[in-house]
């Protein structure tokens, strides 16, 4: 008689958008596939690979750490920006080496002085926790944080704030709007996060996935050097 206990489904939460496509390509390279997910016209929210006992769903980036903390997903793939902003209880286990960009303080050149002299300025951002941590704990500068939900670069242009804290990838958005990087807050990239209980209960399966991805990341790294 088969002695092995029935495997439960491992659930992955993937952030919708930029990171999802590369994530699925990487999974495919380590043998984790989900044909169902490739159908672009589908409105289905959850996809299953019966054979490997895996489930995948796409969620809004900031919700991924929430699903993982509560154990609704065992594993999440999400940007470091979101991990820092959400501050959830989870294990960050791997830097996947793609989606590289930087969190920066940006504004017009003229705002440089305001930062240097620790003036009481307004900072617009989609990332109030990251901005607070940077200005209050690292720079010890008192500022007023204004939360926005997108197109952050508009804020200094129309006079809502002196500077912004935002993601810079190619720098094109800044350049095209007469803004520049004034200070760098931290480097960002896609990360794998794991639920703390799942890491114990499903250690063998999850460790295998981490190790396979680690190998793939180091091969991809050596190919780009
Ligand atoms: C992000 C970010 C910047 C831009 C940076 O915005 O907030 O605006 O990309 O990229 P770049 O340096 O290559 O120009 P996103 O496109 O995600 O939309 P949002 O402004 O609505 O947040």
């Amino acid at each position: 008689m088969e002695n092995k206990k029935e495997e439960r489904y491992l659930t992955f939460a993937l952030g919708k958008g930029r990171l999802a496509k590369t994530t699925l390509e990487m999974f495919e390279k380590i043998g984790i596939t989900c044909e169902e997910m490739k159908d672009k016209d589908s409105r289905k929210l959850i996809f299953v690979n019966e054979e490997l006992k895996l489930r995948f769903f796409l969620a809004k980036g900031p919700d991924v750490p929430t699903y993982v903390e509560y154990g609704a997903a065992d594993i999440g793939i999400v940007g470091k920006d979101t991990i820092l902003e959400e501050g959830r209880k989870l294990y960050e286990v791997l830097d996947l080496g793609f989606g590289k960009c930087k969190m920066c303080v940006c504004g017009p050149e003229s705002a440089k002085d305001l930062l240097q002299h620790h003036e009481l300025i307004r900072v617009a951002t989609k990332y109030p926790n990251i901005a607070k941590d940077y200005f209050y704990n690292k720079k010890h500068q008192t500022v007023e944080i204004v939360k926005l939900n997108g197109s952050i670069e508009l804020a200094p242009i129309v006079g809502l704030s002196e500077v912004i804290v935002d993601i810079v990838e190619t720098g094109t958005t800044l350049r095209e709007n007469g803004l520049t990087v004034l200070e760098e807050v931290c480097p960002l990239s896609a990360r794998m996060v794991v639920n703390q209980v799942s890491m114990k209960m499903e250690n063998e399966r999850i460790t295998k996935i981490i190790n396979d991805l680690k190998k793939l990341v180091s091969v991809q790294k050596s190919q780009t050097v």
Side-chain angles (χ1 to χ4, degrees):
M1 213 176 81
E2 181 82 55
N3 217 354
K4 200 173 163 244
K5 75 171 192 316
E6 182 74 2
E7 268 188 337
R8 72 163 176 91
Y9 278 88
L10 269 190
T11 304
F12 291 77
L14 313 181
K16 265 186 207 168
R18 299 182 192 207
L19 303 183
K21 191 169 168 264
T22 314
T23 302
L24 290 175
E25 283 166 10
M26 282 184 87
F27 281 166
E28 198 143 0
K29 286 187 184 144
I30 62 160
I32 294 179
T33 50
C34 192
E35 287 308 312
E36 261 195 316
M37 228 171 165
K38 291 182 183 161
D39 178 5
K40 292 276 164 283
D41 299 325
S42 171
R43 298 285 294 165
K44 257 180 103 160
L45 294 171
I46 188 142
F47 306 91
V48 184
N49 181 325
E50 304 278 356
E51 201 186 323
L52 298 175
K53 289 273 191 281
L54 301 174
R55 299 197 301 174
F56 303 84
F57 65 81
L58 289 170
K60 284 260 186 195
D63 294 338
V64 169
T66 314
Y67 283 106
V68 174
E69 179 181 313
Y70 283 90
D74 301 288
I75 294 171
I77 307 293
V78 68
K80 177 71 177 174
D81 50 319
T82 306
I83 298 173
L84 290 171
E85 183 61 26
E86 295 302 314
R88 293 281 175 184
K89 275 184 77 180
L90 34 76
Y91 295 133
E92 182 187 322
V93 295
L94 186 62
D95 182 343
L96 293 165
F98 69 90
K100 285 191 181 178
C101 48
K102 281 185 184 137
M103 187 64 73
C104 299
V105 181
C106 311
E109 243 347 296
S110 59
K112 221 169 202 161
D113 276 355
L114 303 173
L115 292 171
Q116 262 154 20
H117 299 127
H118 285 58
E119 303 264 352
L120 177 58
I121 51 170
R122 280 205 196 125
V123 179
T125 186
K126 203 154 91 174
Y127 302 92
N129 292 327
I130 295 177
K132 255 179 232 161
D133 180 61
Y134 180 71
F135 278 100
Y136 294 177
N137 302 334
K138 300 213 174 74
K139 275 181 67 89
H140 306 290
Q141 177 173 1
T142 307
V143 295
E144 185 183 342
I145 310 273
V146 182
K147 165 86 165 56
L148 289 179
N149 295 295
S151 304
I152 316 298
E153 291 82 357
L154 259 178
I157 301 173
V158 297
L160 174 62
S161 70
E162 282 80 7
V163 299
I164 61 174
V165 166
D166 200 18
I167 292 174
V168 179
E169 193 178 353
T170 61
T172 312
T173 314
L174 291 179
R175 254 191 321 277
E176 292 191 0
N177 291 288
L179 305 172
T180 182
V181 171
L182 301 170
E183 291 174 2
E184 287 185 8
V185 177
C186 61
L188 305 168
S189 58
R191 308 290 161 98
M192 177 171 162
V193 294
V194 178
N195 171 269
Q196 296 188 337
V197 176
S198 307
M199 196 67 209
K200 290 193 186 75
M201 304 302 286
E202 295 294 329
N203 190 270
E204 207 174 310
R205 291 170 83 194
I206 294 176
T207 304
K208 171 149 182 16
I209 295 169
I210 296 172
N211 287 339
D212 288 352
L213 283 172
K214 240 183 219 165
K215 273 182 222 144
L216 179 64
V217 170
S218 75
V219 168
Q220 289 182 336
K221 212 175 186 178
S222 68
Q223 282 169 348
T224 55
V225 171

